[in-house]
Amino acid sequence: MSDKRNRTLVIAHGKSEIELCKAIARLADIGIEIDSNDSGGRTITMSSLPGRFGSKPYTSELALSKKFERLEYFGGNRVVEHMPNLRIFPVMDIDGDHENRLRYITGEMFKAFPLGRYVTPIYNDDNLDQVMESIGYGQVVSKKIKTYRKISDGITDLMDLYSRLKQCENTNLEEFVLHCMSHSPIFQGHLDRIK
């Protein structure tokens, strides 16, 4: 990895999101941490996020750094912000949860929590499968994890993925892709044309 200091934490809805986010980070050559339920075996829903952010390790920067030890953390009593470069990306499917949709997408859901200022909510409406199909990365019908491994292996150009996602109205996943590219030495000097 080029950048040993992890500044990025993904809260993954399920296994598909884990596979895709790992592939994006690998292509950008940056480190990320991933939080999930049973390695994606049990999904995390939008409605469960307030409970997650109201309990450890999301109650403080110190608690978060203890759980995810590779996240960049600056100790000391004089430090005002211990994780100034941290970004937390919950990557969620809307999955028909219209009750929480707007509060999630706008970030309102996280504002009351200590680490809410670090959150950039990523949504896939209605789900990641539909988004990937709509941008031309194949149809997901069965054996999702195998399919997402194929999709992840097929992604070789992050700039192209970013452009496709940017044109898709059903997601803002391009924000995660842009974040990964902007922290990667590989893409420095190449991002001006897409911003």
Side-chain angles (χ1 to χ4, degrees):
M1 297 273 158
S2 297
D3 190 348
K4 300 291 186 201
R5 300 160 302 169
N6 292 354
R7 301 175 179 128
T8 308
L9 173 62
V10 171
I11 302 174
H13 172 70
K15 288 182 180 181
S16 304
E17 289 77 10
I18 291 171
E19 284 294 322
L20 187 61
C21 290
K22 281 183 176 179
I24 291 166
R26 187 175 54 251
L27 283 168
D29 197 22
I30 67 163
I32 64 170
E33 295 290 321
I34 296 181
D35 187 10
S36 64
N37 285 341
D38 299 326
S39 299
R42 291 184 304 122
T43 61
I44 297 174
T45 61
M46 283 189 304
S47 61
S48 71
L49 289 172
R52 194 174 209 88
F53 274 85
S55 59
K56 283 192 175 184
Y58 293 94
T59 53
S60 72
E61 293 169 328
L62 180 60
L64 195 68
S65 73
K66 286 182 178 180
K67 164 93 180 193
F68 301 101
E69 294 176 356
R70 292 184 307 190
L71 285 175
E72 181 179 67
Y73 181 84
F74 300 102
N77 294 335
R78 294 185 181 187
V79 177
V80 176
E81 207 169 350
H82 296 282
M83 302 176 102
N85 300 312
L86 176 66
R87 291 283 293 278
I88 302 172
F89 291 94
V91 180
M92 298 287 131
D93 289 350
I94 299 297
D95 279 338
D97 185 356
H98 300 292
E99 182 179 327
N100 290 298
R101 183 182 190 279
L102 187 59
R103 287 183 54 244
Y104 174 77
I105 290 173
T106 62
E108 190 65 35
M109 180 180 279
F110 307 102
K111 288 187 178 171
F113 297 104
L115 302 180
R117 67 186 176 277
Y118 298 121
V119 175
T120 302
I122 301 298
Y123 66 91
N124 295 296
D125 195 358
D126 207 43
N127 58 49
L128 183 60
D129 301 349
Q130 291 174 349
V131 167
M132 296 310 285
E133 185 177 336
S134 73
I135 64 167
Y137 275 96
Q139 189 174 12
V140 181
V141 285
S142 65
K143 298 183 182 176
K144 284 179 69 162
I145 298 311
K146 263 188 161 176
T147 303
Y148 273 96
R149 284 193 181 122
K150 274 184 165 177
I151 288 171
S152 297
D153 290 344
I155 297 171
T156 57
D157 183 347
L158 282 185
M159 297 286 268
D160 178 61
L161 178 63
Y162 172 85
S163 296
R164 290 180 189 213
L165 289 168
K166 183 85 174 148
Q167 294 173 20
C168 182
E169 296 177 2
N170 298 328
T171 189
N172 68 338
L173 185 57
E174 76 277 358
E175 290 185 33
F176 175 70
V177 175
L178 182 60
H179 168 81
C180 290
M181 290 191 303
S182 65
H183 286 87
S184 170
I186 297 168
F187 292 95
Q188 299 311 305
H190 299 284
L191 298 179
D192 293 339
R193 62 184 173 158
I194 62 172
K195 286 187 179 179

